[in-house]
Amino acid sequence: MKKFILICYLLVVCLTAFAQDGVNFGIKAGGNAASHAGTGLINDPNNNIYTFHFGVFGQLPLTSDVLLSPEILYTNKGFKRRGITFQSPYVDFSLLAKINLGDSKAYCVVGPYASYQLEREFTYTTSQKTYDFGGNLGIGLKIQKHLRMEAIFQTSANVWTAPRPMGEGYRLTQVTLSALYLIR
């Protein structure tokens, strides 16, 4: 946790030091519904774990309709399966493109992420690595000048297995609902 706070502090200092016209940064926080391969979200909501995320982000305009938005978030990922909860804290590093959808206040969010697992809270040994990577796809809405809301689906490119009784291949997924506040 101390490393995450230090990384966030350094990111804010760097964004402030190199801030130019049009470059913004802010804070992001919200809730997650995490599962494996999305099945809990669709078939059995009891397989989801419900957690939170928070962190910092930047926004660099590339054109009048496209922003590049790097972000660093602390989040929990995992799922429930056959009465066992698998959950671990991660630091997510995302590089998102935010594309305005016409004249509306809505925008599309797309881009890759990489995660680092801070600690394991699993009761079983799994083939899961301490890193993860995958993609984000979502939609956002500009509420006010400094306030945004985003809903993002994130899926892992890593497939891992657990020993019996789990034994099946898993791909971590999560749906996040976030509030973003632009500081600058």
Side-chain angles (χ1 to χ4, degrees), residues 16 18-19 30 33 37 45 47 57 72 84 87 89 95 114 119 136 143 148 154 164:
T16 304
F18 296 107
N47 286 340
F57 69 94
I72 299 175
I84 303 168
Q87 180 176 329
L95 185 58
E119 62 184 64
N136 294 299
I143 306 295
R148 312 280 190 267
Q154 182 182 76
R164 293 185 184 269

Side-chain angles (χ1 to χ4, degrees), residues 91-182:
V91 175
D92 278 1
F93 304 91
S94 295
L95 185 58
L96 304 173
K98 297 182 179 182
I99 305 161
N100 288 334
L101 299 175
D103 292 334
S104 70
K105 294 182 176 191
Y107 56 93
C108 177
V109 180
V110 63
Y113 79 90
S115 292
Y116 179 75
Q117 187 180 30
L118 297 174
E119 62 184 64
R120 285 182 186 241
E121 295 181 5
F122 299 156
T123 56
Y124 288 99
T125 304
T126 68
S127 67
Q128 185 179 11
K129 309 289 188 260
T130 57
Y131 58 87
D132 185 28
F133 62 95
N136 294 299
L137 180 62
I139 191 159
L141 185 62
K142 299 171 188 170
I143 306 295
Q144 295 178 348
K145 182 178 178 181
H146 294 283
L147 185 62
R148 312 280 190 267
M149 295 294 292
E150 290 180 354
I152 296 177
F153 175 75
Q154 182 182 76
T155 186
S156 173
N158 287 343
V159 176
W160 54 277
T161 59
R164 293 185 184 269
M166 307 297 280
E168 305 156 27
Y170 295 99
R171 177 170 287 143
L172 294 176
T173 61
Q174 70 178 355
V175 173
T176 63
L177 183 58
S178 309
L180 293 79
Y181 184 78
L182 295 168

Side-chain angles (χ1 to χ4, degrees), residues 1-146:
M1 186 66 172
K2 290 179 185 179
K3 289 179 186 179
F4 176 73
I5 293 171
L6 178 62
I7 290 170
C8 291
Y9 175 75
L10 290 174
L11 181 66
V12 170
V13 168
C14 289
L15 288 172
T16 304
F18 296 107
Q20 303 170 8
D21 271 347
V23 175
N24 295 312
F25 62 92
I27 56 174
K28 180 176 183 175
N32 311 349
S35 188
H36 61 293
T39 58
L41 299 172
I42 298 168
N43 299 330
D44 187 0
N46 295 325
N47 286 340
N48 295 339
I49 62 166
Y50 299 96
T51 65
F52 62 92
H53 61 274
F54 63 90
V56 295
F57 69 94
Q59 288 188 161
L60 173 66
L62 299 179
T63 69
S64 61
D65 288 329
V66 179
L67 294 171
L68 187 61
S69 183
E71 60 185 38
I72 299 175
L73 299 175
Y74 173 88
T75 186
N76 280 309
K77 295 182 183 182
F79 57 90
K80 293 179 187 173
R81 181 79 169 154
R82 297 182 182 152
I84 303 168
T85 298
F86 292 83
Q87 180 176 329
S88 285
Y90 284 81
V91 175
D92 278 1
F93 304 91
S94 295
L95 185 58
L96 304 173
K98 297 182 179 182
I99 305 161
N100 288 334
L101 299 175
D103 292 334
S104 70
K105 294 182 176 191
Y107 56 93
C108 177
V109 180
V110 63
Y113 79 90
S115 292
Y116 179 75
Q117 187 180 30
L118 297 174
E119 62 184 64
R120 285 182 186 241
E121 295 181 5
F122 299 156
T123 56
Y124 288 99
T125 304
T126 68
S127 67
Q128 185 179 11
K129 309 289 188 260
T130 57
Y131 58 87
D132 185 28
F133 62 95
N136 294 299
L137 180 62
I139 191 159
L141 185 62
K142 299 171 188 170
I143 306 295
Q144 295 178 348
K145 182 178 178 181
H146 294 283

